[in-house]
Amino acid sequence: METKNLETKPKYTAKDFSSDVDVKWCPGCGDYSILAQVQRTSPDFGELKENIVWVSGIGCSSRFPYYMNTYGFHGIHGRAAAIATGVKLANPKLQVWVATGDGDSLSIGGNHFIHACRKNMDIKIVLFNNKIYGLTKGQYSPTSEKGKITKSSPYGTVDFPFNASKLADAAGATFFARTIDREPKHMQEMLKRAAAHKGLAVVEVYQNCPIFNDGAYAPLTDKTSKEDYVLYLEHGKPLVFGKNKDKGIKLDGLQPVVIDLNDGKHSVDDCWVHDEFDTDPTRGFILARFIDMDHMPTPIGVFRQVHKPTYDEEYWNQVEYVKSKKGAGDYNKLMYSVNTWDVE
């Protein structure tokens, strides 16, 4: 597919990215918000509509390609990242997005997810995390909290949950951000940042499932509590939160500590200053651990982004190098080389 000059790119609106397929999610599902923010921000992705592809696996989130007026591929369970990798390698001019759920990508698709991160494929993964299997009617998922009572764990799951931020960071993702379905402006910003990143970008969206896991993120979304539970990450700014911005995060060695900025002992100067471009992954990993600690707020925003060559870029550079040395190659010569034989 030929990429046109972006100087002549049409001025798109959200409607240009909305298909005529009826959206079929449960009333109140957080997926509606994700779809709306993607459609609203797609005109800012810097790409022609015909060069954008959405790939999905299986799950409620995986209906996403039908609702986007772009090219799309509805794959099989857990294989969205692998299919997206193939699409990007086949045509590196495309902007490839993945819509996947916590069950789809972190369970059966976990291997494909970590290797997409490891390879640093230039694809964007939007990870819908509702801590439950919604499409199959409410079984616990890899991100469900320990002790969660569900249809498949009637006495409470004994599993320890996956932490998507730690997993992506450890696997080598060069961009990781988190947002919440009820933070539309914030989500739009995270999506635009992911689109602009060259490399593997993961945007984890905390998304409510009103039918099988309603209120999973209530402390983070309720107006009376969210300021005490949510930590907004902003590059170059200290980690401060609370209704009156009177709480901060200080690093005691490698241990994060909540400090009171009004106790007369601490000030904002004692707070950890967020650096999303830190090439040392240590602090990004510490941030990822916050959700595993009862006393820490939940970070949302860009945790870390670094830049290194992408797999698809290196792959095609190698192809061009070999062609410069050996020529373009000949299919018939390859198929009828000395390694073939006739069976009579």
Side-chain angles (χ1 to χ4, degrees):
M1 185 181 297
E2 183 180 354
T3 301
K4 301 174 185 176
N5 189 332
L6 288 182
E7 293 180 359
T8 62
K9 183 173 73 67
K11 291 185 178 180
Y12 295 123
T13 67
K15 289 184 178 180
D16 293 309
F17 290 91
S18 303
S19 76
D20 58 1
V21 177
D22 289 339
V23 181
K24 295 181 179 179
W25 285 313
C26 300
C29 178
D31 289 3
Y32 285 100
S33 176
I34 301 173
L35 176 63
Q37 307 329 315
V38 168
Q39 290 171 340
R40 286 168 184 161
T41 54
S42 290
D44 300 318
F45 287 171
E47 189 53 81
L48 289 166
K49 187 172 67 171
E50 59 264 35
N51 287 341
I52 297 176
V53 181
W54 277 90
V55 179
S56 67
I58 295 296
C60 295
S61 64
S62 296
R63 294 170 175 157
F64 208 85
Y66 297 104
Y67 307 144
M68 291 295 297
N69 189 17
T70 64
Y71 284 108
F73 193 109
H74 190 177
I76 57 177
H77 205 192
R79 273 54 178 184
I83 294 168
T85 294
V87 172
K88 185 66 179 180
L89 284 177
N91 189 344
K93 295 177 181 179
L94 299 176
Q95 187 180 87
V96 183
W97 291 78
V98 171
T100 185
D102 49 301
D104 186 51
S105 61
L106 301 182
S107 185
I108 188 172
N111 194 49
H112 296 301
F113 177 80
I114 62 173
H115 286 294
C117 292
R118 175 182 66 84
K119 293 173 183 291
N120 193 34
M121 291 298 306
D122 186 20
I123 59 178
K124 324 300 173 187
I125 299 176
V126 181
L127 173 56
F128 300 47
N129 185 355
N130 56 20
K131 296 186 178 182
I132 203 77
Y133 277 105
L135 188 67
T136 50
K137 307 300 183 287
Q139 298 84 0
Y140 75 89
S141 85
T143 57
S144 297
E145 63 272 23
K146 190 172 185 292
K148 179 74 172 177
I149 295 175
T150 71
K151 292 178 180 178
S152 57
S153 56
Y155 301 103
T157 173
V158 297
D159 272 359
F160 292 96
F162 244 149
N163 181 327
S165 52
K166 285 200 299 187
L167 181 65
D169 190 34
T174 51
F175 179 103
F176 182 88
R178 179 186 292 138
T179 188
I180 304 174
D181 58 2
R182 296 191 186 182
E183 295 268 358
K185 295 293 185 183
H186 187 269
M187 193 194 308
Q188 290 171 27
E189 181 62 24
M190 295 305 101
L191 291 167
K192 287 188 281 189
R193 294 287 303 278
H197 180 73
K198 180 71 171 177
L200 195 288
V202 179
V203 178
E204 180 185 27
V205 185
Y206 280 176
Q207 169 252 325
N208 192 49
C209 174
I211 305 301
F212 298 109
N213 202 20
D214 194 25
Y217 300 108
L220 310 182
T221 58
D222 190 286
K223 291 182 180 180
T224 63
S225 62
K226 70 176 186 178
E227 291 176 316
D228 286 325
Y229 285 90
V230 176
L231 174 66
Y232 292 88
L233 302 175
E234 297 181 81
H235 176 67
K237 294 188 178 182
L239 301 187
V240 175
F241 68 106
K243 292 180 181 178
N244 300 311
K245 300 297 181 186
D246 54 358
K247 301 176 186 178
I249 307 295
K250 176 184 176 181
L251 272 181
D252 184 5
L254 296 179
Q255 185 67 29
V257 178
V258 176
I259 57 175
D260 183 350
L261 300 180
N262 292 330
D263 64 1
K265 300 176 183 178
H266 300 95
S267 73
V268 72
D269 294 332
D270 297 314
C271 294
W272 169 359
V273 175
H274 182 49
D275 180 6
E276 67 183 43
F277 302 105
D278 193 347
T279 55
D280 184 341
T282 304
R283 291 195 176 196
F285 197 74
I286 294 172
L287 278 175
R289 291 177 50 228
F290 277 25
I291 63 171
D292 299 327
M293 303 176 181
D294 292 335
H295 62 288
M296 300 303 294
T298 297
I300 67 171
V302 177
F303 283 47
R304 182 167 174 261
Q305 69 164 320
V306 295
H307 298 282
K308 66 180 184 182
T310 65
Y311 182 95
D312 40 292
E313 186 177 51
E314 295 284 85
Y315 172 86
W316 282 106
N317 285 343
Q318 186 179 74
V319 169
E320 293 304 316
Y321 172 77
V322 173
K323 285 169 64 176
S324 71
K325 295 295 182 180
K326 296 187 175 183
D330 185 291
Y331 177 78
N332 286 326
K333 285 183 179 179
L334 174 65
M335 295 304 296
Y336 296 98
S337 65
V338 294
N339 293 321
T340 62
W341 61 90
D342 293 327
V343 177
E344 296 180 356

